[in-house]
Amino acid sequence: MKTGTLCLLIESDQGPILVDTGLGLRDYFQPTWFTQFFRVITIMPFDPNEAAFHQVQKLGYQPEDIKNIILTHMHFDHCGGLPDFPHAKVHMHRREYDAFTDGKILHWDEYAYIPRNIAHKPDWILYKDAKDKWYDFDAIRLPFEPEMYFIPLHGHSRGHCGLAIKTINGWFFHGGDAGAVYNNETPAWMIRWALGPHDPTLRAFMKAHPEFLVANSHMFPEFFEQHPIVE
Ligand SMILES: [Zn+2]
């Protein structure tokens, strides 16, 4: 059985965009104590070939081709690969940037912010005001084609966002770590404790829109074999 962190590569009008980076090469070769700890309590595979650095090459791109990265949030398992793409602009919610950089630990999840992941000082594009709407959600339109929106789903981390992307097969709603919508074994209180308050909202949305594909960050890879985002 394998899980991982969902990383997406979107072919946009401005070249390939990476959505979350997963662990980076350094996490495999010099893991931090927090990564080690996490490996023990989760079933994280630990194969450097899984790193986005290698995965983008399997899809026919060079790491330097990645000029834009969108992050749902900055926990180490979502942004550890940033140093592998030092030339990319990084698009994220401003609240998440502040949570990472303000030096305060307001919640236990903030131990998952690893300073070395931004030591190369990436070029940030930060977003704050959710002035748009995507269905019932407050949303932030991102400056790319295909149409895509940051959906603020704060709570799992201070500035966590989901991402809705218009694909040729319809909308794909990546709920990041804000829910575990296909997990019917874990009690709701535990999901709320680990992932924040939005899981019920995501489940309700999924029910109301069976025509859309909804997923979260930590899924079994077979899911995407059964439900390809684009064919
Ligand atoms: Zn997380």
Side-chain angles (χ1 to χ4, degrees):
M1 202 158 67
K2 261 177 36 165
T3 76
T5 301
L6 175 62
C7 302
L8 303 170
L9 192 82
I10 305 174
E11 292 179 324
S12 82
D13 62 334
Q14 292 163 62
I17 303 172
L18 188 60
V19 179
D20 284 352
T21 67
L23 296 179
L25 296 176
R26 197 169 165 191
D27 292 310
Y28 292 101
F29 299 112
Q30 292 175 282
T32 62
W33 70 267
F34 199 84
T35 306
Q36 308 260 38
F37 166 71
F38 235 75
R39 282 189 63 199
V40 177
I41 60 169
T42 64
I43 40 173
M44 186 189 274
F46 210 62
D47 175 358
N49 289 315
E50 298 274 338
F53 182 83
H54 296 302
Q55 295 290 334
V56 299
Q57 295 177 63
K58 282 188 201 150
L59 293 169
Y61 294 102
Q62 290 306 311
E64 317 74 89
D65 298 336
I66 307 296
K67 304 271 194 279
N68 292 283
I69 293 175
I70 295 172
L71 292 180
T72 59
H73 65 304
M74 293 211 64
H75 288 161
F76 74 99
D77 52 329
H78 296 258
C79 77
L82 283 181
D84 300 335
F85 302 94
H87 305 296
K89 291 191 169 76
V90 183
H91 301 256
M92 196 174 63
H93 199 283
R94 180 173 289 279
R95 265 180 78 105
E96 188 66 10
Y97 178 82
D98 291 344
F100 191 103
T101 56
D102 70 1
K104 296 179 200 146
I105 298 281
L106 299 188
H107 189 256
W108 63 267
D109 78 274
E110 295 180 10
Y111 289 107
Y113 293 146
I114 309 295
R116 75 182 192 191
N117 289 336
I118 61 165
H120 61 293
K121 298 196 171 34
D123 187 0
W124 296 98
I125 313 283
L126 300 173
Y127 301 85
K128 194 167 89 163
D129 298 324
K131 284 181 273 186
D132 305 300
K133 277 277 174 194
W134 182 73
Y135 293 86
D136 286 342
F137 293 99
D138 293 332
I140 300 167
R141 173 81 157 92
L142 295 179
F144 303 106
E145 291 297 333
E147 198 178 342
M148 63 187 86
Y149 295 89
F150 255 150
I151 311 293
L153 297 170
H154 304 334
H156 168 66
S157 68
R158 272 194 253 169
H160 177 283
C161 287
L163 185 69
I165 307 154
K166 192 173 195 174
T167 78
I168 51 171
N169 297 336
W171 286 100
F172 172 62
F173 186 14
H174 175 13
D177 273 356
V181 293
Y182 298 99
N183 178 338
N184 295 315
E185 286 96 61
T186 306
W189 66 265
M190 203 185 281
I191 290 180
R192 192 190 159 91
W193 173 78
L195 302 178
H198 302 290
D199 180 76
T201 317
L202 296 181
R203 284 175 199 255
F205 181 81
M206 213 166 107
K207 226 172 158 183
H209 293 280
E211 73 279 21
F212 299 162
L213 183 61
V214 181
N216 290 117
S217 289
H218 303 290
M219 309 264 303
F220 297 105
E222 299 77 49
F223 177 85
F224 294 102
E225 284 157 24
Q226 289 152 17
H227 306 273
I229 299 170
V230 289
E231 324 226 324

